[in-house]
Amino acid sequence: MTTPQDLLIVVLDTAAHRTVTPGDLSLALAGAELIDLLKAPTIRLDGGRIVPGHLPGPADPLLTQAAASFVMEEPYEPVSDWLWRRGDRLTNTYMTALEAQGVLARKKGRLLRDGQKVLTDSPARLRAGMRWSQAEPVLRALAVSLGISGEQTEEPSPITDYAVQTVLAAVTTALGELQAERQRRTIEQAAFDNLWRALE
């Protein structure tokens, strides 16, 4: 399993305690992909831009897909731009992948919506849970950026890799921009509604 898959499992496991919007999660999943690709190493960062390498891509199909989406020519693409581009509906892509792997299943029950997707008791879920309980630094940082926290058996180690820090900072900034855009639209809609009420 990969960091994006582990992150999605953690989010789904904590869904009862914290609601994460698909848009926010998609940006965080793209950041997780980028960090896995940095560690491969399939890419490197230069001045905040993604420089693709020439090593074979990762074995995971979704990470391979992510690696294939990089701009291959100078001046290359800034991390922030790639997060927005790659993060377009990425949550749905990973949900579909987990369902295909049997990590998610559609189940029916008295407390479940018809055909609701729920996590199965799979090795992937166990592995993600272990990373989470052990406060693996990258997984923990990505989850915290989504407002998810929980009890871990260990304190996370500091992240000292500058490239990883850069990606995490870009994810946090993108999430802030998305929230600001939502607030702007809410204010504009409220003003529009008030105008129509005044004209009635």
Side-chain angles (χ1 to χ4, degrees), residues 3-186:
T3 300
Q5 291 170 328
D6 287 347
L7 177 62
L8 178 54
I9 290 170
V10 167
V11 169
L12 293 172
D13 252 340
T14 59
H17 308 289
R18 170 76 182 183
T19 301
V20 177
T21 67
D24 288 349
L25 181 53
S26 289
L27 286 170
L29 290 172
E33 286 184 331
L34 207 52
I35 291 171
D36 276 1
L37 292 169
L38 280 167
K39 292 180 177 180
T42 302
I43 59 169
R44 63 181 177 87
L45 299 188
D46 183 5
R49 293 179 179 270
I50 303 167
V51 182
H54 301 287
L55 297 175
D60 180 79
L62 288 179
L63 287 183
T64 300
Q65 184 184 92
S69 72
F70 294 128
V71 173
M72 303 302 291
E73 298 177 354
E74 294 184 358
Y76 303 114
E77 188 173 24
V79 169
S80 57
D81 289 0
W82 186 85
L83 289 177
W84 285 108
R85 185 165 60 81
R86 175 62 180 168
D88 185 24
R89 294 184 287 274
L90 193 57
T91 296
N92 291 339
T93 301
Y94 271 91
M95 291 282 284
T96 299
L98 289 188
E99 188 174 4
Q101 296 169 23
V103 180
L104 276 177
R106 295 180 184 272
K107 292 189 176 182
K108 298 180 180 180
R110 191 161 52 89
L111 300 178
L112 297 175
R113 296 190 302 275
D114 209 29
Q116 180 181 351
K117 294 178 182 179
V118 296
L119 288 167
T120 62
D121 292 327
S122 62
R125 186 181 187 183
L126 178 62
R127 178 184 179 279
M130 289 181 63
R131 279 185 78 182
W132 178 243
S133 66
Q134 293 170 0
E136 194 279 324
V138 168
L139 183 62
R140 169 75 172 172
L142 288 165
V144 167
S145 73
L146 294 170
I148 296 173
S149 60
E151 295 182 2
Q152 282 85 31
T153 57
E154 303 176 19
E155 284 296 317
S157 302
I159 296 173
T160 57
D161 187 311
Y162 179 74
V164 174
Q165 291 175 344
T166 299
V167 173
L168 292 173
V171 169
T172 300
T173 299
L175 290 171
E177 291 172 352
L178 186 56
Q179 180 60 25
E181 177 62 19
R182 289 196 190 105
Q183 291 175 347
R184 183 187 66 79
R185 291 182 181 181
T186 299

